[in-house]
Amino acid sequence: MSLVHLRTFIEVYRQRSISGAARGLGLTQPAVSQHIAALEAAVGRQLFLRSVHGMAPTPAADELAADIGDRLDLAEAALGAARARSSEMAGAVRLVGHADFLSEVIAPLLIPLLMAQMKVRLQAGDRDDVIHNLAEGHCDLGLSGYPIQDRRLRTELVREEPVIAVAAPAIAARLRTAPDLATALAAEPLLAYNLERMLVDGWLAHNGLQGVTPNPAVIGQDFRGLRRLLCAGFGWTAMPAYLCRAEIARGDLEEIPGPVGPTANSYYMVWAAGALRHPRIAHVRQTLMAELRRGV
């Protein structure tokens, strides 16, 4: 039983597709089909039911995947890390994630990699873009502020960032001295990130301010644009602290204290299950995860 055949099996199992597995492994579709046929002959059981809708795993496939899936990933990750320590690291690695997080947090962490002659390609995208680009092999690593549940991908928590409410000093002072914070917040223009999951909702609920019904004046998918409006004296929002620490230190923004305090937003490193067998990807992942966990 070949390890190559086992890797092909795991990829087909996760993708539920011969063509998807072929793309992920860099093989032809006939080669993938041959690997599966050879493995079925070796185990003496049918592993997939083929149909126009894809490859449906049989109970035998479920058992085999449970036995080897994660172990194979761990072994390939270890091999990739070992190669990364001894191989030439020059080459390009493609990262996809939220534009503001890539720019404000990830970009400064890339300097050691770039000094080692590695090339990096940054691509902005929301959660769906992260999933699509990683699963289809268009990008190598992803950074997401949302948890991702997809059997083709692996995720690991790398950072917890406080989420605080902020506004320009004049607005923050007006809110701090208001007799009722909820009423005062409702009277000010609200700036929000992403209509699907506005961080301000979580901050309001955490602080018991359910009486404030979010009706944003502006909705954007890059906090840096909202930050410019705040600094110009328009509105308030709740945002990750990394995006406004410098502005608070300069006096351009001030925190709006909530009755309970800040909430937190989780950030995840995301990668395709088989990606870490490539030394460059394993090295970049290891480097970035170490720096992110230090809170740099």
Side-chain angles (χ1 to χ4, degrees):
M1 187 180 297
S2 165
L3 287 176
V4 174
H5 293 170
L6 290 175
R7 166 47 63 195
T8 302
F9 161 74
I10 288 297
E11 197 71 16
V12 173
Y13 185 86
R14 287 169 175 158
Q15 298 277 355
R16 301 294 199 267
S17 165
I18 291 288
S19 59
R23 285 194 302 271
L25 295 169
L27 299 173
T28 64
Q29 293 186 39
V32 171
S33 297
Q34 290 168 9
H35 289 182
I36 296 301
L39 190 58
E40 288 178 330
V43 300
R45 302 170 73 181
Q46 186 174 8
L47 297 174
F48 296 99
L49 300 175
R50 297 157 177 80
S51 74
V52 293
H53 303 294
M55 303 288 281
T58 65
D62 291 333
E63 293 174 9
L64 184 59
D67 286 340
I68 67 169
D70 289 341
R71 292 181 179 87
L72 191 59
D73 291 335
L74 290 172
E76 289 185 334
L79 182 59
R83 287 174 177 163
R85 290 189 289 269
S86 59
S87 299
E88 173 59 51
M89 283 294 102
V93 172
R94 303 158 296 174
L95 305 180
V96 60
H98 307 296
D100 40 44
F101 192 76
L102 290 179
S103 297
E104 303 272 333
V105 176
I106 297 300
L109 305 182
L110 297 175
I111 298 300
L113 299 169
L114 297 170
M115 294 297 290
Q117 306 302 311
M118 184 170 288
K119 296 178 177 61
V120 178
R121 306 291 181 254
L122 300 177
Q123 179 172 327
D126 60 15
R127 176 178 53 190
D128 290 341
D129 294 321
V130 170
I131 293 172
H132 171 76
N133 280 288
L134 293 176
E136 295 297 319
H138 304 313
C139 291
D140 304 309
L141 296 169
L143 285 306
S144 175
Y146 305 93
I148 289 177
Q149 302 293 331
D150 190 299
R151 65 175 178 267
R152 299 169 296 178
L153 305 178
R154 296 290 178 266
T155 66
E156 192 160 344
L157 178 67
V158 292
R159 186 170 177 137
E160 291 277 355
E161 186 71 20
V163 174
I164 61 176
V166 289
I171 296 174
R174 187 160 64 237
L175 292 169
R176 279 197 304 271
T177 58
D180 181 73
L181 179 58
T183 301
L185 287 170
E188 299 286 349
L190 171 64
L191 313 182
Y193 176 83
N194 194 329
L195 184 59
E196 177 187 348
R197 183 173 178 261
M198 296 186 292
L199 292 183
V200 69
D201 288 342
W203 185 87
L204 290 169
H206 179 71
N207 284 282
L209 299 168
Q210 290 89 344
V212 182
T213 302
N215 185 19
V218 178
I219 298 172
Q221 293 197 342
D222 190 322
F223 265 120
R224 293 169 298 179
L226 303 184
R227 186 177 62 192
R228 291 288 297 271
L229 291 170
L230 293 175
C231 290
F234 183 84
W236 70 280
T237 194
M239 66 167 54
Y242 75 83
L243 282 158
C244 54
R245 286 191 182 100
E247 287 72 20
I248 290 174
R250 289 197 303 266
D252 295 333
L253 295 176
E254 290 185 8
E255 181 176 358
I256 303 165
V260 178
T263 55
N265 200 43
S266 299
Y267 293 87
Y268 302 86
M269 181 78 75
V270 192
W271 63 95
L276 300 186
R277 62 179 177 267
H278 301 288
R280 285 194 299 274
I281 301 173
H283 177 63
V284 173
R285 171 184 168 274
Q286 186 177 36
T287 300
L288 291 180
M289 286 180 66
E291 294 299 321
L292 287 165
R293 285 174 171 161
R294 276 199 286 267
V296 176

